[in-house]
C-alpha cells in the first residue's frame, strides 16, 4: 500500500524402475500413455540408480547470493561455488562428485531473455525445466558421452539415424585445438563420421563469464523429419533440426588477461530442456502439444470465450488467439513457480520482470481470450497437478499463489481499461501509422498507469502502429530519475517506523525519498478487513459459539477466512450467513475503536481473539456498540468485538454488499470461506443469475422431446459439461453454485443415459448388418458408418458377443474431424494377438496412435486410404498367426 519514490536518480537501462527401449513406430513417440512425468523421472533414475549420481533437488528460481542473475536460468547456477572453487569445505556441496537433478529455470530479463519470443513460436518459454547431470572431478568426456548416448538411444529409444552431434572444431586465434578426443569418442560409440560436425567458439565452447571456468562442449541434435541427410541444418536455426542436449567439458579457466589455464581437475556440466525432450519423445513439433501443456490448454479453453487451441502461428487467421493461448500457458507456469519460490510482482529487478509477465498474461487472458477476471489464477491448481509432484512447494503455496495473482490482476485491470481507452482515443484523433504513436502518451501510460512499455508496443502492434521511438528515448532520459520502491514491511526501531524496501544498487544513504499512500488499494483493504469482522460475527451467530477463527487473509479484491466447524456449510447456512452480513451492512453500523491494556480488553464479554501474541496496549474494534459500553456491560452485547491492529472503515455501509464465492473444508474440522464485496459482489450475483437462467434453459430442452440423433444428444451433453465448468469456475454465490451443480449433475446423468441407450441401439443395428454381410468368420475386418468412437466400440462389443471366437476390427471416418477411428476386440483365449498390439500397429500405419488392453483397444489415424488399411489389418493378423 505504501511506496517510496526516490528523487534525482539516473534511469538504469516418478517410477522406481527404468524405462527400457520400446519398439519404434515410425517415430510417433513412445507407446500411448508415456507421460512427461515419466520422462523426467526416468532421466533422474537412469543417473541415480544405474550410474551412482546423487539426486539434488532443484534450487529456487531466486538466485542465492548471485547479483549477476535476476533468475536461475540454468541447471549449473546452484553449483557455481563448486566450479569457482569458493564452496564452503564444511558444506554438503563440497562433497559432490556425481550429481543429477531437474532444475526450475526462468529466462526473462537480463542476458538470457525469452519473454518477447513467447507465444510467437511454439518452443520459446520463460519457464522451463533443465535436466542435467554433473561430474565434479570424477568422470569426464568418455563416460559423459557414453551415458548420454545410452539414455537417448537405448532407454528412450530414439533412433540413432535421427541424431547428429557437434563438437568444438578449434579456434586458431585463441590458440585452441579441435576437440578430436570428443570426435573419436562419438566414432567409437558408432556415430557415423558424417553425423559428427565441427563448430567454432560461438556454438561449441562454453564460458561462465568474462573470466572463470570454461571448456569445449558437444551437443546432440535431433532431426524431426528423418530419412535424409540433415547435417547442413545443424546449428542453422532450422525448427526441423533442434539441439536437445549440451554436454560441457570444463577443463580450462579463463584468466583476467583472457588467457586459458588448464584446471587441476576437470568437470562435466550437461543440460537438456525437458519440454523439448518430451516433444521429441511424444512425436510433437510443438512443445504446447505435449502433455506438459495440453491439460493447461484445455483448462484455458474452459475459462475462455473463444474456440479451442489450434496451434496457428504467424499471420494466419486466428493466430492471435493461439498466440494468447501460448502466452497465458507459459506465463501462468512462470508466475506459479516464481511466487512459490518467494518472488512477487514488484517494481524492480526480478519482481519488476514478474510484474510485466503477470500483466502480459492478464491482458491476453481477458482481452484476447475473453476470459473473466480471476480466470488466470484459477489455472494454478492445474499447474499444481502438472508440476506439484516434482516441485512440492507448488502444492504448499497454492493458495498464496492464487491470492497474489488475483490481487495484482485486480490492480492492473483498472489501469488496463483506462489505458486502452487512452490508446483508442489517441488513435482516433491522429494519423499514427505515418507519424508514429505520440511518445508523450506512451510515457504517460507507463509513468501514471504502470504500463510496461513492451505492453504498450504490443497493443499498438496489433493495430499496425509503432510508438515514436526517438521521442520516447528522449522522454526516458529526461524522466525513471524517479524510481518507485514498493514497501515490503514496517518495523519499529528506537521509536522510529522504518519502511523496508527491496533495492539493488539504486538506493544509498543520503538519497531523498517521499512516502506515498496507494489510497485505492488501502480503501479496498479497509473494506475487506471490516467485512472479515462482520463475517466472523455472522458465522458465529448462525453456526454457534463453537466457531473459532483459524486464519484469515485480506487483499484488495477479496477476503479469506478459516474457521473451525464440523463439516461443510449447507446451502441454507450459507444463505443465513449472507443475510446476517447484509443486515449489518444495510444498518450502516459505526465501527468503534479503543486502545486498552491487554488484560483489561480480555475482560470484555463476547471478545473474539486468535491464537497469537498481541501488543500491550492493544486495539479493540467493535461494531455498533462503543467499546467503553462493552467494558461496563456484565453480559454479551451480541455484536462483533475483536482485538485488531489493522485499518478499518468508519461505518459498515461502505462494504455495500458481500457474497461468499467459495466454501470448502481444508482439513477435517477446518473450513475456508472466500468472499468478495461491493461491485465484485454485485457482479457475482449477476453472474449467478445468468448461469441459473442458462441451466433453466438447458433443463427445459432436455426435458422436452427426445433428441433426434446421437449427435444432437451429445451436443446437449457437451453444453451441460461446459455449463458445469462455468458454474465451477465463475465467481458466484456459493449457495447458488451448490444448487446449480446438483441440477447439472442430474441433467448430465439423464443426458448420458439417453446417449448410451441410443448408441447401444445403433450399435446393435450396425452389428447385425455386418454379421449378415460377413457371417461369423474367424477374422471380421470391415468399414462401418459410425458417428463416434463410442458407437464404434459398442458395435465391436456387440459383434464379439455374437461371434465370440472372431477377431473383430472396425474402421470408420469421423464426420467432423475427418480422422479415421479404429476399434477392435479379440477372443479371450487368443494366444497370438493382443488387441492393443493390433490397434497400435494399424493406427501407426494410419499415422496415428492407439491404446487399450489385451482384449479391447481403440485409436485414431489420419490416412485417406481406408481400403488399404483394412487389407493391412488383415495381413497383420495373418502374419501373427504364422509366427
Amino acid at each position: 500500500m505504501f511506496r517510496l519514490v526516490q528523487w534525482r536518480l539516473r534511469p538504469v537501462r516418478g517410477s522406481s524402475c527404468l524405462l527400457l527401449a520400446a519398439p519404434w513406430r515410425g517415430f510417433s513417440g513412445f507407446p500411448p500413455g508415456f507421460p512427461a512425468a515419466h520422462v523426467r523421472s526416468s532421466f533422474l533414475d537412469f543417473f541415480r540408480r544405474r550410474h551412482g549420481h546423487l539426486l539434488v533437488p532443484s534450487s529456487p528460481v531466486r538466485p542465492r547470493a548471485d547479483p549477476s542473475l535476476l533468475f536461475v536460468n540454468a541447471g549449473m547456477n546452484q553449483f557455481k561455488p563448486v566450479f569457482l572453487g569458493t564452496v564452503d569445505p564444511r558444506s554438503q556441496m563440497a562433497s559432490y562428485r556425481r550429481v543429477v537433478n531437474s532444475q526450475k529455470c526462468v529466462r526473462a530479463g537480463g542476458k538470457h531473455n525469452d519473454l518477447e519470443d513467447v507465444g510467437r513460436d511454439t518452443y520459446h518459454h520463460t519457464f522451463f525445466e533443465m535436466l542435467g547431470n554433473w561430474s565434479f572431478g570424477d568422470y569426464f568426456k568418455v563416460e559423459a558421452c557414453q551415458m548420454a548416448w545410452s539414455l537417448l538411444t537405448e532407454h528412450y529409444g530414439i533412433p540413432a539415424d535421427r541424431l547428429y552431434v557437434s563438437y568444438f572444431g578449434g579456434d586458431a586465434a585463441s590458440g585452441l585445438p579441435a576437440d578430436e578426443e570428443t570426435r573419436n569418442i562419438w566414432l567409437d560409440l558408432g556415430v557415423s563420421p558424417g553425423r559428427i560436425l565441427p563448430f567454432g567458439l560461438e556454438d561449441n565452447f562454453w564460458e561462465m563469464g568474462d573470466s572463470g571456468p570454461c571448456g569445449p562442449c558437444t551437443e546432440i541434435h535431433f532431426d524431426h523429419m528423418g530419412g535424409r541427410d540433415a547435417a547442413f541444418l545443424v546449428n542453422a536455426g532450422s525448427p526441423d533440426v533442434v539441439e536437445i542436449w549440451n554436454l560441457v567439458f570444463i577443463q580450462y579457466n579463463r584468466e583476467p588477461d583472457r588467457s586459458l589455464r588448464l584446471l587441476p581437475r576437470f568437470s562435466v556440466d550437461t543440460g537438456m530442456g525437458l519440454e523439448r525432450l518430451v516433444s521429441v519423445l511424444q512425436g510433437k513439433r510443438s512443445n504446447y502439444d505435449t502433455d506438459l501443456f495440453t491439460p493447461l490448454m484445455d483448462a484455458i479453453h474452459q475459462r475462455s470465450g473463444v474456440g479451442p487451441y489450434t496451434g496457428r502461428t504467424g499471420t494466419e487467421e486466428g493466430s492471435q488467439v493461439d498466440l494468447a493461448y501460448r502466452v497465458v500457458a507459459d506465463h501462468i507456469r512462470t508466475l506459479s513457480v516464481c511466487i512459490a519460490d518467494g518472488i512477487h510482482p514488484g517494481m524492480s529487478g526480478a519482481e519488476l520482470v514478474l510484474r510485466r509477465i503477470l500483466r502480459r498474461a492478464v491482458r491476453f487472458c481477458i482481452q484476447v481470450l475473453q476470459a473473466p477476471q480471476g480466470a488466470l489464477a484459477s489455472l494454478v491448481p492445474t499447474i499444481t497437478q502438472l508440476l506439484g509432484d516434482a516441485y512440492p512447494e507448488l502444492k504448499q503455496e497454492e493458495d498464496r499463489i492464487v491470492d497474489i495473482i488475483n490481487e495484482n490482476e485486480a490492480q492492473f485491470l483498472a489501469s488496463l481499461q483506462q489505458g486502452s481507452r487512452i490508446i483508442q482515443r489517441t488513435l482516433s484523433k491522429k494519423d499514427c501509422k505515418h507519424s508514429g504513436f505520440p511518445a508523450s502518451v506512451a510515457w504517460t501510460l507507463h509513468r501514471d498507469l504502470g504500463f510496461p512499455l513492451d505492453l504498450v508496443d504490443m497493443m499498438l502492434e496489433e493495430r499496425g502502429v509503432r510508438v515514436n521511438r526517438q521521442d520516447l528515448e528522449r522522454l526516458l532520459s529526461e524522466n525513471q530519475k524517479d524510481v518507485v520502491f514498493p514497501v515490503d514491511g514496517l518495523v519499529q526501531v528506537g521509536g522510529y517506523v522504518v519502511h523496508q524496501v527491496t533495492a539493488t544498487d539504486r538506493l544509498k544513504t543520503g538519497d531523498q525519498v517521499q512516502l506515498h499512500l496507494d489510497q485505492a488499494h488501502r480503501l479496498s483493504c479497509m473494506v475487506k478487513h471490516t467485512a472479515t469482522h462482520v463475517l466472523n460475527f455472522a458465522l458465529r451467530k448462525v453456526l454457534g459459539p463453537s466457531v473459532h477463527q483459524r486464519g484469515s487473509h485480506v487483499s484488495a479484491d477479496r477476503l479469506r477466512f478459516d474457521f473451525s466447524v464440523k463439516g461443510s456449510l449447507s446451502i441454507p447456512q450459507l444463505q443465513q450467513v449472507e443475510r446476517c452480513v447484509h443486515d449489518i451492512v444495510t444498518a450502516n453500523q459505526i465501527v468503534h475503536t479503543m486502545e486498552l491494556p491487554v488484560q483489561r480488553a480480555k475482560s470484555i464479554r463476547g471478545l473474539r481473539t486468535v491464537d497469537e501474541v498481541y501488543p500491550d496496549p492493544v486495539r479493540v474494534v467493535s461494531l455498533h456498540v462503543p467499546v467503553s459500553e462493552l467494558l461496563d456491560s456484565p453480559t454479551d452485547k451480541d455484536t462483533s468485538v475483536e482485538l485488531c491492529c489493522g485499518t478499518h472503515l468508519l461505518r459498515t455501509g461502505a462494504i455495500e454488499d458481500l457474497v461468499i464465492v467459495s466454501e470448502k473444508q481444508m482439513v477435517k474440522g477446518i473450513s475456508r470461506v472466500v468472499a468478495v464485496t461491493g461491485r465484485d459482489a454485485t457482479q457475482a450475483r449477476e453472474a449467478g443469475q445468468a448461469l441459473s437462467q442458462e441451466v433453466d434453459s438447458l433443463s427445459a430442452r432436455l426435458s422436452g422431446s427426445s433428441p433426434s440423433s446421437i449427435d444432437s444428444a451429445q451436443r446437449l451433453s457437451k453444453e451441460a459439461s461446459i455449463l458445469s465448468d462455468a458454474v465451477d469456475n465463475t465467481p458466484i454465490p456459493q449457495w447458488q453454485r451448490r444448487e446449480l451443480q446438483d441440477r447439472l449433475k442430474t441433467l448430465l446423468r439423464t443426458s448420458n443415459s439417453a446417449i448410451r441407450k441410443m448408441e447401444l441401439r445403433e450399435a446393435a443395428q450396425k452389428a447385425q448388418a455386418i454379421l449378415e454381410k460377413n457371417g461369423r468368420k474367424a477374422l471380421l475386418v470391415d468399414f462401418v458408418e459410425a458417428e463416434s468412437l463410442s458407437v464404434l466400440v459398442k458395435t465391436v462389443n456387440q459383434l464379439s458377443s455374437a461371434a465370440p471366437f472372431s477377431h473383430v476390427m472396425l474402421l470408420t471416418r469421423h464426420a467432423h474431424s475427418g480422422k479415421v477411428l479404429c476399434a477392435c476386440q479379440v477372443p479371450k483365449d487368443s494366444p497370438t494377438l493382443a488387441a492393443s498390439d493390433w490397434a497400435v500397429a494399424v493406427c501407426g500405419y494410419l499415422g496415428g496412435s492407439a491404446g487399450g488392453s489385451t482384449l479391447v483397444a481403440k485409436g485414431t489415424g489420419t490416412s485417406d486410404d481406408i481400403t488399404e488399411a483394412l487389407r493391412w489389418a488383415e495381413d497383420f493378423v495373418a502374419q501373427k498367426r504364422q509366427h
Side-chain angles (χ1 to χ4, degrees), residues 761-771 784-787 791 795:
R761 188 163 55 246
E762 183 175 326
Q765 294 170 355
K766 293 183 184 299
Q768 183 61 36
I770 292 171
L771 287 172
V784 66
E785 295 285 349
E787 290 187 38
V791 172
T795 305

Side-chain angles (χ1 to χ4, degrees), residues 530 533 588-596 604 619-630 639-644 646-652:
T530 302
H533 282 222
N588 198 22
Q589 294 180 359
I590 296 175
V591 180
H592 299 275
T593 63
M594 178 182 285
E595 282 196 357
L596 293 170
I604 298 174
R619 187 158 162 265
V620 181
V621 178
S622 65
L623 301 182
H624 185 53
V625 183
V627 178
S628 57
E629 188 175 327
L630 293 170
T639 190
S640 168
V641 54
E642 300 187 31
L643 303 183
C644 183
T647 55
H648 282 275
L649 300 170
L650 298 178
R651 284 182 172 270
T652 58

Side-chain angles (χ1 to χ4, degrees), residues 2 11 28 54 113 145 299-300 530 600 629 662 679 713 760 826:
F2 284 114
S28 60
L54 174 69
N113 182 11
C145 293
I300 295 171
T530 302
R600 177 86 168 115
E629 188 175 327
S662 173
R679 177 60 185 158
L760 285 169
V826 301

Side-chain angles (χ1 to χ4, degrees), residues 35-90:
H38 198 162
V39 177
R40 184 196 297 113
S41 64
S42 60
F43 177 93
L44 300 175
D45 284 345
F46 175 83
F47 286 100
R48 184 166 61 99
R49 297 179 182 274
R50 177 161 295 198
H51 295 288
H53 287 61
L54 174 69
L55 176 59
V56 175
S58 169
S59 68
V61 293
R62 181 189 287 277
R64 295 169 178 163
D66 190 346
S68 67
L69 294 173
L70 288 173
F71 303 96
V72 166
N73 57 25
M76 56 75 60
N77 288 163
Q78 69 168 311
F79 305 117
K80 269 189 178 182
V82 182
F83 292 128
L84 295 171
T86 60
V87 64
D88 185 340
R90 299 165 297 180

Side-chain angles (χ1 to χ4, degrees), residues 213-480:
C214 57
C217 63
T218 183
E219 297 174 335
I220 303 174
H221 299 254
F222 174 79
D223 178 17
H224 276 289
M225 304 292 288
R228 59 176 180 167
D229 182 0
F232 71 99
L233 292 175
V234 173
N235 283 338
S238 169
D240 295 332
V241 179
V242 295
E243 173 206 336
I244 56 173
W245 205 346
N246 186 11
L247 286 62
V248 180
F249 306 127
I250 302 176
Q251 61 191 80
Y252 300 107
N253 190 76
R254 177 74 74 180
E255 299 296 315
D257 63 1
R258 303 298 294 161
S259 64
L260 291 171
R261 173 178 57 85
L262 276 176
L263 291 168
R265 69 171 190 171
F266 296 168
S267 298
V268 174
D269 166 13
T270 86
M272 176 161 57
L274 175 67
E275 291 77 8
R276 185 169 289 181
L277 175 62
V278 170
S279 72
V280 167
L281 296 180
Q282 294 185 358
K284 306 296 184 182
R285 297 297 298 274
S286 165
N287 295 350
Y288 295 95
D289 291 335
T290 68
D291 68 345
L292 282 168
F293 284 93
T294 49
L296 188 51
M297 294 306 209
D298 292 340
I300 295 171
H301 178 228
Q302 290 171 8
R303 292 152 176 77
S304 74
V306 298
Y309 176 70
T310 58
R312 290 165 293 192
T313 58
T315 57
E316 296 179 63
E317 183 180 353
S319 62
Q320 187 69 9
V321 169
D322 286 341
L323 182 150
Y325 266 103
R326 291 189 288 269
V327 167
V328 172
D330 172 88
H331 288 8
I332 189 61
R333 283 171 27 116
T334 305
L335 288 164
S336 299
V337 167
C338 287
I339 294 171
D341 280 349
I343 304 176
H344 298 177
M347 296 299 291
S348 63
E351 286 77 8
L352 177 58
V353 174
L354 199 65
R355 180 173 180 258
R356 288 173 176 162
I357 289 172
L358 185 142
R359 292 188 163 202
R360 194 170 188 250
V362 168
R363 192 232 160 203
F364 273 108
C365 197
I366 288 181
Q367 290 197 337
V368 181
L369 296 179
Q370 301 171 27
Q373 183 175 347
L376 185 65
S378 74
L379 298 172
V380 172
T382 305
I383 300 297
T384 301
Q385 291 169 12
L386 291 170
L387 299 176
D389 289 339
Y391 308 111
E393 59 274 13
L394 286 166
K395 292 181 178 179
Q396 298 164 8
E397 300 293 338
E398 182 177 301
D399 289 333
R400 188 169 63 85
I401 297 168
V402 169
D403 288 339
I404 289 172
I405 292 175
N406 275 326
E407 185 175 341
N408 280 270
E409 179 186 54
Q411 292 174 14
F412 176 53
L413 284 178
S415 299
L416 180 64
Q417 189 174 20
Q418 185 180 354
S420 297
R421 286 198 300 266
I422 292 172
I423 288 176
Q424 191 56 46
R425 190 163 59 241
T426 304
L427 291 173
S428 65
K429 291 180 179 178
K430 296 177 177 288
D431 181 13
C432 299
K433 288 195 175 183
H434 295 95
S435 61
F437 190 82
S440 58
V441 179
W443 174 248
T444 299
L445 290 170
H446 177 64
R447 181 192 60 197
D448 297 343
L449 296 181
F451 267 54
L453 290 173
D454 58 347
L455 179 57
V456 177
D457 287 337
M458 191 177 302
M459 294 174 71
L460 292 174
E461 184 180 312
E462 291 170 2
R463 297 165 169 84
V465 176
R466 293 183 180 275
V467 71
N468 189 314
R469 184 58 56 183
Q470 186 175 353
D471 288 352
L472 183 59
E473 291 295 334
R474 178 179 54 79
L475 284 169
L476 283 169
S477 65
E478 291 175 356
N479 292 278
Q480 270 170 265

Side-chain angles (χ1 to χ4, degrees), residues 660-710:
I660 297 172
V661 294
S662 173
E663 186 275 330
K664 59 183 178 182
Q665 285 259 301
M666 304 304 295
V667 294
K668 187 175 181 181
I670 302 292
S671 263
R672 170 168 292 175
V673 161
V674 176
V676 293
T677 63
R679 177 60 185 158
D680 290 334
T682 302
Q683 289 176 342
R685 295 192 193 281
E686 291 171 351
Q689 186 60 32
L691 286 171
S692 180
Q693 291 172 357
E694 289 190 51
V695 174
D696 289 342
S697 172
L698 180 62
S699 179
R701 282 178 284 151
L702 282 171
S703 60
S705 57
S706 300
S708 58
S709 66
I710 294 175

Side-chain angles (χ1 to χ4, degrees), residues 52-203:
H53 287 61
L54 174 69
L55 176 59
V56 175
S58 169
S59 68
V61 293
R62 181 189 287 277
R64 295 169 178 163
D66 190 346
S68 67
L69 294 173
L70 288 173
F71 303 96
V72 166
N73 57 25
M76 56 75 60
N77 288 163
Q78 69 168 311
F79 305 117
K80 269 189 178 182
V82 182
F83 292 128
L84 295 171
T86 60
V87 64
D88 185 340
R90 299 165 297 180
S91 69
Q92 184 184 10
M93 187 178 287
S95 67
Y96 289 171
R97 292 297 176 265
R98 296 183 173 208
V99 166
V100 64
N101 88 338
S102 177
Q103 173 64 47
K104 300 173 295 185
C105 298
V106 174
R107 289 188 176 173
K111 178 182 177 183
H112 299 285
N113 182 11
D114 290 341
L115 178 57
E116 295 308 309
D117 295 315
V118 169
R120 301 183 189 277
D121 56 38
T122 60
Y123 49 87
H124 274 100
H125 302 290
T126 50
F127 165 75
F128 65 97
E129 298 178 67
M130 184 74 84
L131 303 173
N133 60 289
W134 287 265
S135 164
F136 304 114
D138 192 333
Y139 61 81
F140 201 45
K141 295 180 181 179
V142 173
E143 296 90 338
C145 293
Q146 286 174 343
M147 288 187 284
W149 196 251
S150 172
L151 178 67
L152 293 180
T153 62
E154 296 171 16
H155 293 278
Y156 285 144
I158 299 176
D161 62 8
R162 289 286 192 93
L163 299 175
Y164 297 81
V165 295
S166 65
Y167 69 98
F168 180 54
D171 185 76
S174 302
L176 287 168
D179 188 6
E180 293 294 333
E181 180 186 2
T182 298
R183 181 177 184 274
N184 290 328
I185 291 169
W186 289 122
L187 287 171
D188 291 342
L189 287 171
V191 183
S192 63
R195 292 175 176 269
I196 308 172
L197 311 170
F199 288 90
L201 282 170
E202 184 176 350
D203 293 304

